[in-house]
Amino acid sequence: MSRDVALTARLKYFTKRLTSFNPGRVWSFATQIAEEQGKWAPPIFIDMLWWAAFHDTAYIDYYEADFALLSRRERKTFMTSLVQHHLAAALNNRTDVLQFENKLTFNKRFAEYLGREWLDLEDSTPEQFQAFVERHPVIIAKHPVGREGKGVFRYDTAEHADIDQLRDELIGRGERLIEEPIAQHPYLAEYCAGTVNTTRVATFFDGTTVHVLMAAQKFGRGAVSDQFTWGGFFTMIDENGKSFGPGHTGKHVSKYLTHPDSGKSIVDYQVPLWDEVVDLVTRAAKEVPTVPYVGWDVAVGPEGPVLIEGNWTPGLYETRVSATGIRTGSRERHRPVIEASRR
């Protein structure tokens, strides 16, 4: 049984699972896995229940990490949603995380790391918005609170004859955060010029040292966001900023040796200015010591990296053996934050 989650958290999770248990949903996962991997569904169904109850593994984690293809020892090397949420809840101050949940608050708190101009429509005048779009004819509009790339939109203001009306429409739809588009590094633009391809870096600040726990490079397909909801995919990144496997979406048979649109190699990918990326997140991670466990989204520009946002629940990024052939996850790299949660 996993000991990386406190007993009270595990009991709470187990109780929630019992009260919301839907055997049809679990069976649906089991039959899908069996079909994709040429196995028999009943043993997978039982195994999923066992790992959910005693090894902190949600059904979707079991599916997306290909647990049916892994040995018990290999499975124990993978992070799971429950472990990650437990760590975030145990270590991150519940009040101070609000600085990360709201993008407007985040932009104010981390202004020196953004490298771009932005505007709060509800805290500015129509004249200020007019001047903003004159400087930046293409704008990025965001809902202040949103996840997975939802609530993010791109507008060419030249297509709108009445800028005051556009402003009113944006406010009416809750798209009150307006940002200057980010220019990305030429190397990244070779992969997908139409999307800012961001790097997710999870860090833990123990009060003295900032530990880089995990990194993943996300790639877009031309949409405003590189998230899965917009057709994006990712590859895992090692401690030197290098890809260590094909890209994938977390879904079955999603394997990208090259970018499907540009043809650029995913397995040979190297995060540009990696040392500067690490320096950026190291400095940012010390800004709010009461929120020590964060997943940062970083965009690398021509002159250096900038922050997009910080996620106080860092997001689960793991390799998938059916796509990458890699049978080891990132839990050991999370050891510093796991040990801290036990104190």
Side-chain angles (χ1 to χ4, degrees):
M1 180 179 293
S2 169
R3 299 186 184 277
D4 293 342
V5 176
L7 179 60
T8 53
R10 182 179 292 111
L11 289 174
K12 183 177 180 180
Y13 171 79
F14 188 65
T15 301
K16 182 179 179 181
R17 281 292 183 189
L18 283 177
T19 56
S20 63
F21 178 57
N22 181 345
R25 181 170 182 268
V26 185
W27 180 251
S28 177
F29 266 120
T31 55
Q32 182 175 352
I33 293 169
E35 181 180 347
E36 291 175 352
Q37 299 179 2
K39 294 180 177 291
W40 193 35
I44 294 176
F45 177 81
I46 296 170
D47 196 40
M48 290 180 72
L49 295 178
W50 180 264
W51 279 77
F54 299 107
H55 296 285
D56 313 321
T57 305
Y59 309 133
I60 188 65
D61 295 342
Y62 186 104
Y63 170 66
E64 292 190 345
D66 280 331
F67 270 26
L69 297 178
L70 300 175
S71 69
R72 182 181 186 279
R73 177 176 294 182
E74 291 168 338
R75 293 176 184 186
K76 300 299 288 184
T77 69
F78 282 73
M79 285 290 288
T80 69
S81 298
L82 177 60
V83 173
Q84 185 178 87
H85 284 121
H86 165 69
L87 296 175
L91 295 170
N92 292 337
N93 182 279
R94 293 299 184 90
T95 299
D96 293 345
V97 298
L98 298 177
Q99 298 178 60
F100 295 82
E101 287 186 348
N102 187 295
K103 291 179 174 63
L104 287 165
T105 306
F106 181 86
N107 279 15
K108 293 174 184 176
R109 182 64 183 79
F110 291 90
E112 67 178 285
Y113 301 93
L114 300 182
R116 62 191 178 280
E117 189 177 0
W118 62 278
L119 190 70
D120 179 355
L121 288 183
E122 294 189 3
D123 193 31
S124 59
T125 65
E127 291 75 21
Q128 288 174 313
F129 180 59
Q130 177 70 48
F132 188 97
V133 300
E134 288 176 359
R135 293 190 298 274
H136 312 293
V138 176
I139 60 173
I140 305 299
K142 299 178 179 180
H143 290 275
V145 179
R147 294 179 63 85
E148 299 177 349
K150 298 174 182 176
V152 179
F153 306 93
R154 180 167 50 202
Y155 297 98
D156 184 345
T157 61
E159 299 175 354
H160 298 265
D162 190 331
I163 295 300
D164 286 338
Q165 181 181 345
L166 173 61
R167 178 179 180 272
D168 291 340
E169 291 174 353
L170 292 171
I171 293 174
R173 292 193 295 266
E175 300 166 30
R176 59 180 284 193
L177 172 57
I178 306 301
E179 294 185 342
E180 167 191 1
I182 293 173
Q184 63 182 333
H185 193 281
Y187 176 72
L188 283 162
E190 291 178 4
Y191 279 83
C192 180
T195 303
V196 176
N197 306 285
T198 61
T199 310
R200 172 66 59 91
V201 185
T203 61
F204 172 63
F205 179 44
D206 65 12
T208 303
T209 303
V210 174
H211 304 269
V212 174
L213 309 173
M214 178 281 303
Q217 178 64 45
K218 295 180 281 185
F219 295 97
R221 302 290 306 276
V224 68
S225 172
D226 57 13
Q227 296 282 5
F228 309 135
T229 49
W230 293 91
F233 62 96
F234 72 95
T235 185
M236 302 302 295
I237 298 297
D238 67 16
E239 62 274 13
N240 299 309
K242 175 75 169 56
S243 167
F244 62 93
H248 64 98
T249 66
K251 305 302 180 186
H252 184 60
V253 300
S254 63
K255 179 177 181 177
Y256 299 99
L257 295 172
T258 61
H259 193 288
D261 302 316
S262 66
K264 292 286 291 182
S265 174
I266 300 299
V267 295
D268 295 323
Y269 175 80
Q270 168 73 49
V271 179
L273 307 178
W274 173 247
D275 289 343
E276 293 182 33
V277 170
V278 173
D279 178 68
L280 177 75
V281 298
T282 297
R283 290 185 288 114
K286 298 177 181 178
E287 290 285 343
V288 187
T290 52
V291 185
Y293 183 39
V294 179
W296 308 96
D297 279 333
V298 177
V300 182
E303 306 301 323
V306 299
L307 282 186
I308 303 293
E309 63 183 20
N311 304 271
W312 70 270
T313 300
L316 190 63
Y317 289 81
E318 285 284 13
T319 188
R320 182 166 190 175
V321 63
S322 62
T324 68
I326 299 168
R327 309 181 74 89
T328 304
S330 69
R331 187 176 292 208
E332 189 54 38
R333 292 178 65 182
H334 284 76
R335 191 56 49 191
V337 68
I338 291 170
E339 295 296 335
S341 71
R342 295 172 176 169
R343 296 170 191 159

